Amino acid sequence: MYHQIINYFQTNSNRYLQMLTDHIRISLWALLMAVLIGVPAGLLCVRFRHLQKPVSTLFRVLRIVPSLAILLLMLPILGTGAAPASVALTLLAIPPILENTVAGLKEVPAFLLETADSLGMTSGQVWKNIRFPLALPLTLTGIKTAAVEIIASAALASKIGAGGFGDLIFTGIGLFRTDLLLIGGISVAFLSLSTGFFFYLLEKILLKYKRM
Amino acid sequence: MARAIEFQNVTKSFRGSSQNAVNHISFTIEEGEFITILGSSGCGKTTLLKMVNRLYEPDNGKILLFGEDISAVDVVKVRRRIGYVIQQIGLFPHITVGGNIAMVPNLLKWEKEKTNARVEELLTLIGLEPKEFKDRYPAQLSGGQQQRVGLARALAADPKIMLMDEPFGAIDSITRLRLQDELLTLHQNMKKTFLFVTHDIEEALKMGTRVIIMNDGNILQFDTPEHIVSHPADGFVTSLVNSAKAKEEFWEKFK
């Protein structure tokens, strides 16, 4: 087994790098889109309270649909490849980002908002200087959760020809090749862990005041 | 002396309440006075205070600051000219002490050097070494230090009027006494008008050049501390004064 794995890397290192970059690329696109949709949607939910129920229900329902099913449902609309895979992963990632953003914004104490008003901040300045920065810790947690989920689920994207480590895993399953399965699985796990570590560092830098 | 604050027949009620929180109130405060507003919770004292910087808008009546009707002035401008300190202090946890104090100067777009100099001046004034405290975060300070910073932030743009809503309510009694004395010294050294809400009669009588006593949205008495003690206006004020005297008797026992 050990030799098989060594042998794989000796002969297929280019192919491995290709899968790595594909996997990261799909995941990054999905995460970026999910943040660009989830954070503003969360903001709107807090700003216009009656929106919160319908919006979060919508995204939660979309999330209940299994990721594989979404991937396959995307086939007739977007065809195969990286684009439909990213869209499906985006849908999966929006709820944690949206809900944590909402929770973070709602958690800002009323007396701090009143203090901000009393200092003569305009409502735009209150959002920029107070509400967003104070909601950031929870929003970041949501983004971290989403990122880890995306990376794990991106393995399924190979089913619609998007590439990534899913290729290796499904080939391994098809051919009863434990070595390929192991390489694929461990690589995905490693990506997930690195992502978690990256966000840990990011929080350390951005949320300095919390550690005091 | 200029008239710093003037209430003309001001009324405010909140939805779901049949009673007025502030009920047809009129009074005038001269520049440089230290006015304490005394009353139990729900008497309307905080509502009255928050109408001065338009956190609440009155239903009826007019409020004038230095002769200017504040409802006609841009609300943001009104607030930047008034200092405001609350019991919860309200320092922004993600901003350093220096940044918190520089808040209003930054909103007013002061030049950087001027703001920096002002921050250091204020930190020195409140007894915190600028080099040591400027870059700390609020969570690294004690409650008393935090409230000092809250006061410095309110003073930053040199407002003529200071509003304080039970600023020392959550501070231990030793520190509170010290902060009270410091605030009185501060008041004597600058020509500012203070409006100070408290539910503690001793604090009200100690701090105020004049005291407003409120109950159920009405002003029962607006007078000097000496006059309130010697000539309480009605039964409620009498009972307030007596409660303070009863405390004194309590301490007599230990002599």
Side-chain angles (χ1 to χ4, degrees):
Chain A
M1 173 69 66
Y2 176 70
H3 286 291
Q4 277 177 314
I5 290 174
I6 294 291
N7 187 39
Y8 174 84
F9 279 109
Q10 275 167 350
T11 50
N12 295 295
S13 62
N14 280 338
R15 172 87 187 97
Y16 182 84
L17 279 180
Q18 179 64 46
M19 284 187 288
L20 178 70
T21 43
D22 280 349
H23 204 106
I24 293 175
R25 204 179 52 225
I26 306 166
S27 305
L28 274 183
W29 273 116
L31 187 65
L32 184 71
M33 285 196 285
V35 170
L36 288 181
I37 297 169
V39 173
L43 188 160
L44 288 177
C45 286
V46 175
R47 184 76 184 70
F48 307 100
R49 233 171 263 167
H50 56 278
L51 275 180
Q52 197 198 333
K53 253 203 164 150
V55 171
S56 64
T57 311
L58 169 74
F59 283 115
R60 243 180 283 167
V61 167
L62 282 176
R63 196 188 185 194
I64 292 169
V65 183
S67 6
L68 191 58
I70 291 187
L71 283 170
L72 296 176
L73 284 172
M74 286 294 156
L75 270 178
I77 307 166
L78 289 168
T80 56
S86 291
V87 171
L89 293 172
T90 303
L91 289 180
L92 184 76
I94 287 173
I97 296 176
L98 173 80
E99 270 159 42
N100 277 285
T101 304
V102 170
L105 287 171
K106 279 191 171 169
E107 225 178 53
V108 179
F111 74 85
L112 279 185
L113 296 177
E114 192 191 87
T115 304
D117 284 340
S118 78
L119 292 171
M121 286 191 202
T122 61
S123 112
Q125 288 166 332
V126 176
W127 279 98
K128 181 175 144 261
N129 300 331
I130 311 300
R131 294 188 111 137
F132 279 131
L134 288 179
L136 187 65
L138 267 178
T139 307
L140 267 184
T141 307
I143 296 175
K144 178 164 73 178
T145 311
V148 171
E149 271 187 51
I150 286 176
I151 285 173
S153 306
L156 296 173
S158 96
K159 281 280 179 209
I160 54 170
F165 287 124
D167 285 359
L168 210 51
I169 294 172
F170 288 116
T171 312
I173 293 173
L175 301 176
F176 290 112
R177 287 271 302 273
T178 319
D179 57 326
L180 297 185
L181 260 177
L182 271 180
I183 294 170
I186 290 172
S187 300
V188 173
F190 181 73
L191 268 185
S192 284
L193 288 174
S194 319
T195 308
F197 185 65
F198 169 76
F199 276 98
Y200 166 76
L201 289 179
L202 197 66
E203 279 169 3
K204 244 185 135 169
I205 296 165
L206 288 179
L207 309 177
K208 215 165 53 172
Y209 69 93
K210 288 232 154 189
R211 287 177 298 122
M212 303 288 182
Chain B
M1 274 288 175
R3 291 178 163 186
I5 303 172
E6 200 174 344
F7 272 56
Q8 294 178 350
N9 201 21
V10 172
T11 299
K12 170 81 185 169
S13 64
F14 291 103
R15 227 183 290 167
S17 163
S18 57
Q19 227 184 357
N20 286 335
V22 165
N23 193 18
H24 300 284
I25 278 183
S26 302
F27 62 85
T28 305
I29 294 171
E30 303 291 331
E31 185 173 16
E33 283 195 280
F34 196 120
I35 304 296
T36 50
I37 307 176
L38 174 67
S40 35
S41 35
C43 73
K45 56 191 194 301
T46 295
T47 307
L48 189 153
L49 192 77
K50 286 183 177 176
M51 284 193 286
V52 179
N53 63 355
R54 292 186 60 186
L55 288 172
Y56 294 157
E57 301 286 356
D59 301 334
N60 270 307
K62 255 193 208 170
I63 300 169
L64 310 178
L65 299 185
F66 295 97
E68 190 176 31
D69 183 349
I70 56 169
S71 66
V73 186
D74 179 21
V75 65
V76 164
K77 276 190 192 144
V78 172
R79 289 172 183 163
R80 288 177 189 174
R81 291 201 290 240
I82 299 174
Y84 183 60
V85 183
I86 55 172
Q87 182 178 343
Q88 303 94 322
I89 305 171
L91 295 182
F92 302 120
H94 60 298
I95 298 172
T96 60
V97 166
N100 266 287
I101 296 177
M103 216 88 213
V104 180
N106 286 340
L107 291 173
L108 294 170
K109 301 201 165 66
W110 285 15
E111 275 170 36
K112 240 190 177 154
E113 290 107 60
K114 190 182 167 194
T115 307
N116 276 337
R118 182 67 178 152
V119 168
E120 293 192 0
E121 181 191 350
L122 283 164
L123 278 170
T124 313
L125 180 76
I126 57 169
L128 300 178
E129 172 58 39
K131 275 203 188 75
E132 200 187 328
F133 286 93
K134 209 172 142 188
D135 296 321
R136 289 205 195 174
Y137 286 97
Q140 295 169 286
L141 306 184
S142 71
Q145 289 171 333
Q146 287 183 19
Q147 193 51 291
R148 284 193 169 96
V149 175
L151 181 64
R153 179 175 64 183
L155 289 169
D158 205 16
K160 286 187 174 164
I161 294 172
M162 291 285 288
L163 308 177
M164 308 185 86
D165 193 354
E166 306 203 25
F168 309 141
I171 287 169
D172 68 88
S173 50
I174 295 175
T175 313
R176 187 190 319 160
L177 280 179
R178 201 184 311 140
L179 286 175
Q180 286 173 350
D181 292 335
E182 285 175 16
L183 187 61
L184 282 177
T185 317
L186 222 70
H187 171 248
Q188 275 160 14
N189 294 334
M190 42 190 171
K191 209 176 117 197
K192 289 190 196 308
T193 312
F194 280 78
L195 211 51
F196 184 110
V197 162
T198 177
H199 63 254
D200 176 354
I201 181 167
E202 280 148 23
E203 191 171 57
L205 296 177
K206 172 184 175 182
M207 306 292 287
T209 52
R210 286 198 291 163
V211 181
I212 293 177
I213 297 179
M214 283 186 76
N215 193 32
D216 289 337
N218 298 304
I219 292 183
L220 302 181
Q221 193 166 5
F222 183 16
D223 216 329
T224 60
E226 295 75 21
H227 231 90
I228 285 175
V229 175
S230 58
H231 300 93
D234 68 353
F236 182 84
V237 182
T238 311
S239 64
L240 256 177
V241 173
N242 285 341
S243 77
K245 285 181 177 161
K247 242 194 217 169
E248 209 174 296
E249 279 163 28
F250 167 82
W251 288 108
E252 287 295 318
K253 276 198 304 191
F254 295 95
K255 280 194 173 165

